Amino acid sequence: MPLVPMKELLDRAEQGKYAVGAFNCNNMEIVQAIITAATKENSPVIVQASQGAIKYAGIDYIVALTRLAAEAAPVPVALHLDHGTSFEQVMLCIAKGFTSVMIDGSKLPLEENIKLTNRVLDVARATGVTVEAELGKIGGTEDDITVSEKEAQYTDPEEAAYFVEKTGADALAIAIGTAHGQYKGEPKLDLERLEKIRSLTNVPIVLHGSSGVPDEAIREAVKRGVRKVNIDTNVREAFMAEVKRVLTANPNEIDPRKTLGPAREAMTEIVREKIRLFRG
Ligand code: G3H
Ligand code: 13P
Ligand code: ZN
């Protein structure tokens, strides 16, 4: 079916009290794996592309690949810009056919984040595109900061209430202890903070940096109002582990299909597992 606004998927998730999986794509095999997995699980799904993915593959390829796969699929699919950092980037994605955008103003002072998010919302509302905003700093696992410095960057519940009141964003990405990339130890989620944010905002919450978060913590987060869960690293790991496995067994292999085919299957499996987990 045609690509749908992400809000439609989030509204349904809200009713069903589950989270929709949002998986990052960079090439054809990843897009195919995501949509095949969603089809096999008979589940809605979000395909998302970062600015880096758009730079790598080209925006027209990202849109064309996802649109083609979505149109042939029996489940609803949204195409979302992940961590858009400028108004111009977001406008380009809307013009090219993305049905959802993230405007990540989390590095800006609060009032500037609100201003930028509202500028995006004005255009998005007129075009039926969904908007995810971010408050608090999610960061990476490589960031060399102490636990207390990290906690200082977590989303403040009162600030979240103010932010949502001033913007009316469709979804809110928050910092509660997750980070992008491979974790060194086990991440510990501040579930009380999540509960507080959710009770004060009543907006669908987005969990970033979800690869490597223990299953039980994901289930608890979904129970407390997370409605979109972002996964990139786990899919990358599955892709590259399979490529390595094939090439180790057959070092002289020269047919890309012999490595990318199994890699696509491995990615499909991990996406299926995550979709099942996000059902709560
Ligand atoms: O949030 C980060 C995503 O994992 C995208 O990563 O910027 O390397 O494409 P990337
Ligand atoms: P991970 O790569 O840690 O799964 O994070 C993905 C993400 O949050 C994309 O925005
Ligand atoms: Zn992210």
Side-chain angles (χ1 to χ4, degrees):
M1 54 184 85
L3 289 169
V4 300
M6 187 169 81
K7 188 172 187 315
E8 281 183 31
L9 307 189
L10 298 179
D11 285 349
R12 278 211 231 173
E14 193 58 62
Q15 282 164 18
K17 305 269 173 274
Y18 61 89
V20 187
F23 302 92
N24 287 71
C25 74
N26 292 284
N27 67 9
M28 181 188 78
E29 282 77 9
I30 305 177
V31 172
Q32 290 175 330
I34 298 166
I35 308 272
T36 301
T39 300
K40 287 188 170 163
E41 292 299 327
N42 192 25
S43 169
V45 78
I46 298 158
V47 175
Q48 58 187 13
S50 68
Q51 292 177 164
I54 289 170
K55 197 168 166 201
Y56 170 77
I59 193 163
D60 291 328
Y61 278 88
I62 297 280
V63 174
L65 288 167
T66 309
R67 194 176 264 160
L68 198 67
E71 280 170 3
V75 292
V77 180
L79 175 58
H80 174 77
L81 167 66
D82 187 31
H83 293 284
T85 49
S86 72
F87 182 74
E88 291 72 20
Q89 177 71 70
V90 166
M91 290 306 112
L92 179 65
C93 288
I94 293 177
K96 291 286 187 180
F98 280 59
T99 57
S100 180
V101 291
M102 174 179 188
I103 179 67
D104 179 355
S106 61
K107 289 194 178 69
L108 301 171
L110 179 63
E111 292 301 330
E112 281 181 46
N113 188 359
I114 290 173
K115 218 162 128 187
L116 177 62
T117 303
N118 278 331
R119 252 184 106 198
V120 167
L121 272 159
D122 277 347
V123 180
R125 288 280 177 264
T127 51
V129 168
T130 309
V131 177
E132 173 184 335
E134 177 173 329
L135 194 64
K137 293 190 182 67
I138 291 158
T141 51
E142 300 301 319
D143 296 350
D144 205 10
I145 56 174
T146 63
V147 174
S148 60
E149 281 168 330
K150 215 176 145 204
E151 282 176 2
Q153 301 187 339
Y154 285 4
T155 309
D156 177 71
E158 311 287 340
E159 217 168 83
Y162 176 73
F163 183 87
V164 170
E165 186 198 318
K166 293 285 174 195
T167 62
D170 300 305
L172 185 67
I174 59 169
I176 53 163
T178 59
H180 294 113
Q182 288 180 316
Y183 290 97
K184 292 186 194 103
E186 192 172 286
K188 184 129 186 35
L189 270 53
D190 188 342
L191 293 168
E192 270 176 44
R193 185 181 294 263
L194 164 61
E195 213 164 301
K196 188 94 194 281
I197 294 169
R198 171 71 176 186
S199 74
L200 293 177
T201 61
N202 206 29
V203 73
I205 302 293
V206 183
L207 194 65
H208 283 244
S210 307
S211 298
V213 175
D215 288 0
E216 205 36 49
I218 295 279
R219 281 192 204 98
E220 290 301 321
V222 173
K223 263 190 210 151
R224 288 166 174 78
V226 164
R227 296 290 170 251
K228 172 177 181 265
V229 181
N230 284 11
I231 296 280
D232 186 359
T233 299
N234 281 158
V235 176
R236 293 180 182 198
E237 288 166 345
F239 189 143
M240 294 311 292
E242 195 57 16
V243 168
K244 275 185 208 152
R245 190 191 63 75
V246 173
L247 289 179
T248 304
N250 309 289
N252 299 325
E253 182 57 66
I254 58 135
D255 184 345
R257 295 170 299 189
K258 299 274 168 58
T259 52
L260 297 182
R264 184 171 57 191
E265 282 171 31
M267 291 188 285
T268 304
E269 278 318 301
I270 186 76
V271 173
R272 288 188 71 174
E273 276 173 35
K274 295 295 174 185
I275 288 173
R276 287 198 289 266
L277 172 63
F278 304 157
R279 285 185 184 137

